[in-house]
Amino acid sequence: IWKSDEIGDLECPAIVENSIFVRNQDTFLFAFDLISGQEIGRMTVQTNTPMLNEPDRGPSVVDDILIVPLNNRHIVAFSL
C-alpha cells in the first residue's frame, strides 16, 4: 500500500508503457508518469470494497488495453 497525504492510501497499480494507473481507497483512479511521478490524470470510480466475496475494483491491463471498473455495473476500456 502506498500513501500520500493529498490522495490517501493507494492500491492496485497497473503499468502501461510509461504510465502507472493506481486507485485510492476512496473514489479516484490516478494516472502518473512512470518516470517523473507527476500526476497526468484522474477519474472518479466507485469505492473499492475489500470484502471477501467482492471482486477488486482495481485497473487491469491486457496488451495495450486498460480496463477500469467504474462501479458495480460498468467498466470502461481504454486503448493506449
Side-chain angles (χ1 to χ4, degrees):
I1 297 176
W2 306 340
K3 185 170 181 132
S4 163
D5 290 338
E6 183 179 335
I7 56 181
D9 293 330
L10 300 175
E11 58 189 19
C12 308
I15 297 173
V16 180
E17 295 182 5
N18 291 326
S19 299
I20 184 167
F21 299 89
V22 61
R23 61 166 297 135
N24 66 9
Q25 292 179 333
D26 292 323
T27 58
F28 287 106
L29 174 74
F30 298 92
F32 295 102
D33 180 84
L34 191 60
I35 306 301
S36 70
Q38 292 285 353
E39 181 181 328
I40 55 177
R42 70 171 71 183
M43 67 184 293
T44 303
V45 292
Q46 186 173 347
T47 303
N48 206 9
T49 55
M51 296 183 169
L52 182 61
N53 296 317
E54 291 284 329
D56 181 56
R57 291 193 179 114
S60 299
V61 176
V62 177
D63 295 325
D64 287 337
I65 298 174
L66 176 69
I67 301 166
V68 179
L70 293 179
N71 55 41
N72 289 339
R73 299 175 190 252
H74 299 94
I75 64 170
V76 292
F78 299 97
S79 178
L80 304 170

